[in-house]
Structures are given as structure tokens and as C-alpha cells.
């Protein structure tokens, strides 16, 4: 299947309500609103194909970039390609998808994590901290590494740009959930900083306020 054939498929599968939701959440107008279930079906049919994935990605279309994240052969992406790809992103859901589906398996994780986490650009800051979240979730970081991360969070979380702030808060919560020896410390930091404490939460969703998120995460792991 070629890029043009895939876009014809997008046109048939486009969902106006989903498109409106994507755009409301920060996607560009270059969006069809294809349901993720349909994109997964396409990805399964197409398989891994780095060349086609790059063509889809470079189109700038939201649906194409979602699909590309499921098709990349990460070992074939160069460091400069990855830097260029992420630097152009503004839609946070695609940033998160690219990090979790593609970059967390890259040989460049440590380089990019350090490079992006300290960036003043919100998209890069979010990407860097999402890579830190991935590192935390492995359960293999030393106490010294975790202390360094928490020191940065205590200093920067309240004043970080929105995208980066969300990822930093995720890192705080992930430490509290994954490393029992740090649970009370992370809850205390969350209470002191108060980030997202007053954020409205939809029914059935978990609060982003760190003490609540950590408690929910621990309860889920015990099931």
C-alpha cells in the first residue's frame, strides 16, 4: 500500500467528532480523525516499514503520524532524523506516542533524554521528561539517580512550561509508584508543590495531582 492509498483510506475512515477532539487537544487542521482502532488494523496489515513510515510522518498529517509511530523500525532512524522529527512536533499526544512507541527503544535514549530534558522549548522538554519516565518505569534506577531527578522536580515543576510540567509530574508520580522507598517522599513533594491540585477531573479518571495519582497507581499494581 502506498502513501496515497493510505490517505484515500483515511478519507473513508475519517471521523468528524474525533477530528474535532484532536484539534481541540492541539492537533493541526491537517487531520482526518481516524479512530485509533482503525489505525491499529492498518498498522498490523502494513507491518514495520521505515521508508513508508517516514513518508507518512513527513506529510504532517496527524493520522499519518499516529500510524507511522506503529511502523517505524527504530534502529534505522539516525540521531539527526530523530532530533528533526521531534523538534517539529507541537501536538502533545503525538510527542507521547512517538516516545513510548518508538524512541524508548532507541539506542539514543540517554543522549536525547539529557539533551531535551533541560530544553527551554516545551515540546522538547516534554519529550525529554517522557524518556525519563520510561527510565523510571524500568525499576532499575539507583537511589542516587532518583534523588537527582526529584531535586530537579522540586526546583522546576511549579514554573515549567505546560507540556514539560505534565511530563515532570508524571515522573514524580512514577517514582512514587515504582520505588516504595520513595513513595512518601513523592507524596510529600506533590503536597508541597500543589501542582494540579485544583484541576477538574472527569468522572472515572485519575487525578493528575501527585498524591492521588500515586495512590491510584499503587492500588492498581496490587490488584
Amino acid at each position: 500500500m502506498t502513501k496515497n492509498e493510505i490517505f484515500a483510506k483515511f478519507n473513508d475512515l475519517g471521523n468528524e467528532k474525533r477530528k474535532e477532539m484532536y484539534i481541540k487537544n492541539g492537533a493541526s487542521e491537517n487531520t482526518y480523525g481516524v479512530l485509533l482502532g482503525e489505525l491499529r488494523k492498518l498498522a498490523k496489515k502494513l507491518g514495520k516499514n521505515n521508508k513508508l513510515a517516514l513518508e507518512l510522518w513527513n506529510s504532517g498529517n496527524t493520522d499519518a503520524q499516529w500510524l507511522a509511530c506503529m511502523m517505524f523500525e527504530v534502529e534505522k532512524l539516525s540521531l539527526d532524523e530523530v532530533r528533526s522529527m521531534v523538534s517539529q512536533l507541537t501536538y502533545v499526544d503525538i510527542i507521547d506516542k512517538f516516545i513510548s512507541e518508538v524512541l524508548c527503544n532507541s539506542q539514543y535514549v540517554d543522549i536525547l533524554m539529557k539533551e531535551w530534558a533541560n530544553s527551554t522549548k516545551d515540546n522538547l522538554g516534554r519529550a525529554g521528561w517522557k524518556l525519563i519516565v520510561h527510565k523510571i518505569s524500568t525499576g532499575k534506577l539507583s537511589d542516587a539517580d532518583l534523588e537527582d531527578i526529584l531535586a530537579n522536580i522540586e526546583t522546576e515543576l511549579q514554573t515549567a512550561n505546560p507540556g514539560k510540567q505534565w511530563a515532570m509530574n508524571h515522573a514524580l508520580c512514577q517514582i512514587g509508584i515504582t520505588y516504595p522507598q520513595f513513595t512518601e517522599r513523592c507524596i510529600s513533594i506533590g503536597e508541597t508543590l500543589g501542582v494540579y491540585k485544583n484541576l477538574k477531573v472527569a468522572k472515572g479518571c485519575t487525578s493528575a495531582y501527585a498524591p492521588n495519582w500515586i495512590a491510584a497507581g499503587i492500588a492498581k499494581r496490587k490488584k
Side-chain angles (χ1 to χ4, degrees):
M1 189 177 287
T2 66
K3 184 186 81 170
N4 288 341
E5 289 171 333
I6 291 170
F7 270 79
K9 192 79 171 174
F10 287 166
N11 191 55
D12 292 337
L13 294 171
N15 182 294
E16 195 61 33
K17 287 187 177 179
R18 180 55 64 99
K19 177 180 178 178
E20 290 173 4
M21 185 192 79
Y22 284 166
I23 293 172
K24 182 180 178 181
N25 290 340
S28 72
E29 292 284 343
N30 187 4
T31 301
Y32 289 96
V34 180
L35 298 176
L36 291 181
E38 296 294 343
L39 292 175
R40 291 190 189 100
K41 289 178 187 177
L42 266 175
K44 187 175 181 180
K45 180 178 179 180
L46 293 166
K48 296 294 183 181
N49 186 328
N50 205 64
K51 183 175 182 295
L52 181 56
L54 281 170
E55 288 182 38
L56 293 170
W57 184 272
N58 291 331
S59 72
N61 176 267
T62 302
D63 312 270
Q65 291 186 333
W66 275 110
L67 180 58
C69 287
M70 305 175 199
M71 296 172 59
F72 279 120
E73 297 169 272
V74 64
E75 69 279 1
K76 294 184 179 180
L77 293 173
S78 72
L79 181 57
D80 284 342
E81 278 181 319
V82 171
R83 282 176 172 142
S84 177
M85 291 162 74
V86 175
S87 70
Q88 297 168 26
L89 291 178
T90 56
Y91 182 28
V92 294
D93 287 351
I94 294 293
I95 294 174
D96 295 351
K97 183 74 171 176
F98 187 64
I99 295 300
S100 63
E101 291 278 342
V102 183
L103 270 195
C104 67
N105 300 310
S106 169
Q107 60 184 312
Y108 308 121
V109 166
D110 290 337
I111 295 172
L112 294 171
M113 182 175 66
K114 293 174 183 177
E115 187 176 303
W116 289 340
N118 296 317
S119 175
T120 57
K121 295 182 178 178
D122 196 29
N123 61 333
L124 297 183
R126 186 183 182 101
W129 276 89
K130 279 294 181 178
L131 286 173
I132 291 174
V133 170
H134 167 69
K135 282 280 190 178
I136 293 167
S137 66
T138 65
K140 297 178 181 179
L141 292 185
S142 69
D143 284 4
D145 289 333
L146 296 169
E147 289 285 0
D148 286 344
I149 293 170
L150 289 175
N152 285 334
I153 290 171
E154 286 183 291
T155 302
E156 299 180 29
L157 181 62
Q158 285 182 316
T159 57
N161 290 326
K164 182 176 179 178
Q165 184 180 66
W166 188 271
M168 291 184 79
N169 187 65
H170 188 176
L172 172 64
C173 296
Q174 196 65 50
I175 292 172
I177 294 166
T178 307
Y179 301 84
Q181 70 272 31
F182 282 90
T183 298
E184 291 303 319
R185 169 94 179 275
C186 291
I187 290 172
S188 177
I189 291 172
E191 290 173 340
T192 300
L193 298 180
V195 174
Y196 303 127
K197 185 176 182 178
N198 299 316
L199 184 69
K200 291 183 179 179
V201 183
K203 187 176 180 180
C205 295
T206 301
S207 170
Y209 178 48
N212 295 343
W213 188 342
I214 292 168
I218 291 173
K220 185 178 180 180
R221 293 187 73 169
K222 289 179 178 179
K223 288 184 180 179

